[in-house]
């Protein structure tokens, strides 16, 4: 309800997006002109001696949410892959006429007359409503739980700031600690978006200073690359 709280939360919400946009704006022209990122990534992968055997990707969050999500709608990923790999317009038109909603699985949209576009719009509205509701409840929960000594210790750790001149040199040793913290959390949840989304309400209620988002966001992006390698 506070305008200041809203401004802080909105800044925290768009910070990661702006970071990504600025990164793309800086590196995309360089990559198009030189291709150095492709070469650098290739050299890094070759040096790891990774096995060529294809293994199933382990996603902890997807494993938890898939049973519930599969009851709502089940999408034919094979059909999506065929559409992406279509080589002619006639083949593409034929594939696009098919529904991507599986009819063999037991979910809410099975054997319904609703089209794929209408189902997508409906699910988008439902998901945004659920997301907004969850964020509001999360803020209320944090405001009720993070009080007293718990709030003080949380605020101290997430805004750690060393005053010694040596520790403040080279960008500040405290920022490197937060960077490692962001990297570790992102590796655990295997999603930088999930981690940065949890920061938004913490910034809104004042537990995290906005300037500390720089180190945490860098850590989240580093954690994402580690997740890709895993």
């Amino acid at each position: 309800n506070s305008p200041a709280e809203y401004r802080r939360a909105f800044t925290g919400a768009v910070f990661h997006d702006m970071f990504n946009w600025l990164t793309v704006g800086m590196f995309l022209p360089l990559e198009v002109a030189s291709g150095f990122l492709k070469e650098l990534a290739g050299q890094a992968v070759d040096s790891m001696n990774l096995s060529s055997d294809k293994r199933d990707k382990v996603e902890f969050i997807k494993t938890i949410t898939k049973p519930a999500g599969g009851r709502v709608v089940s999408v034919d990923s094979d059909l999506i892959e065929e559409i992406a790999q279509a080589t002619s317009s006639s083949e593409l038109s034929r594939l696009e006429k098919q529904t991507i909603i599986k009819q063999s699985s037991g979910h809410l949209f099975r054997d319904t007359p609703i089209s794929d576009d209408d189902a997508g719009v409906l699910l988008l509205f439902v998901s945004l409503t659920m997301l907004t509701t969850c964020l509001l409840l999360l803020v209320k929960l944090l405001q009720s739980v993070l009080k007293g000594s718990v709030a003080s210790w949380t605020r101290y750790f997430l805004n750690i700031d060393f005053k010694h001149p040596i520790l403040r040199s080279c960008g500040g040793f405290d920022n490197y600690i937060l960077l490692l913290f962001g990297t570790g959390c992102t590796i655990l949840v295997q999603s930088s978006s999930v981690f940065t989304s949890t920061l938004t309400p913490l910034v809104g209620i004042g537990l995290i200073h906005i300037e500390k988002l720089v180190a945490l966001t860098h850590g989240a992006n580093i954690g994402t690359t580690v997740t890709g390698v895993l």
Side-chain angles (χ1 to χ4, degrees), residues 1-105:
N1 297 330
S2 171
E5 181 177 314
Y6 174 79
R7 285 194 294 267
R8 290 195 302 267
F10 189 81
T11 302
V14 303
F15 188 91
H16 194 197
D17 299 326
M18 294 299 101
F19 177 87
N20 290 337
W21 276 108
L22 292 174
T23 301
V24 171
M26 181 174 62
F27 283 104
L28 181 60
L30 295 176
E31 174 64 14
V32 172
S34 62
F36 81 100
L37 287 177
K38 179 181 178 181
E39 295 297 329
L40 183 62
Q43 294 293 332
V45 172
D46 292 340
S47 64
M48 296 178 186
N49 296 322
L50 299 177
S51 173
S52 60
D53 297 334
K54 185 177 180 180
R55 300 179 181 179
D56 294 334
K57 184 179 179 181
V58 180
E59 298 182 359
F60 300 108
I61 296 180
K62 188 175 181 180
T63 303
I64 298 173
T65 58
K66 188 175 181 180
R71 293 295 182 180
V72 178
V73 65
S74 183
V75 177
D76 189 353
S77 57
D78 293 333
L79 177 59
I80 297 177
E81 185 176 351
E82 291 179 7
I83 293 176
Q85 296 177 350
T87 56
S88 63
S89 57
S90 58
E91 181 184 4
L92 181 61
S93 300
R94 177 181 61 83
L95 294 173
E96 287 180 341
K97 291 179 181 179
Q98 303 178 32
T99 177
I100 63 173
I101 300 176
K102 288 184 178 180
Q103 301 300 320
S104 58
S105 303

Side-chain angles (χ1 to χ4, degrees), residues 128-144:
L128 289 177
T129 302
M130 293 179 62
L131 176 63
T132 304
T133 303
C134 290
L135 285 176
L136 289 174
L137 294 176
L138 179 60
V139 171
K140 295 296 183 182
L141 177 63
L142 291 174
Q143 288 177 337
S144 61

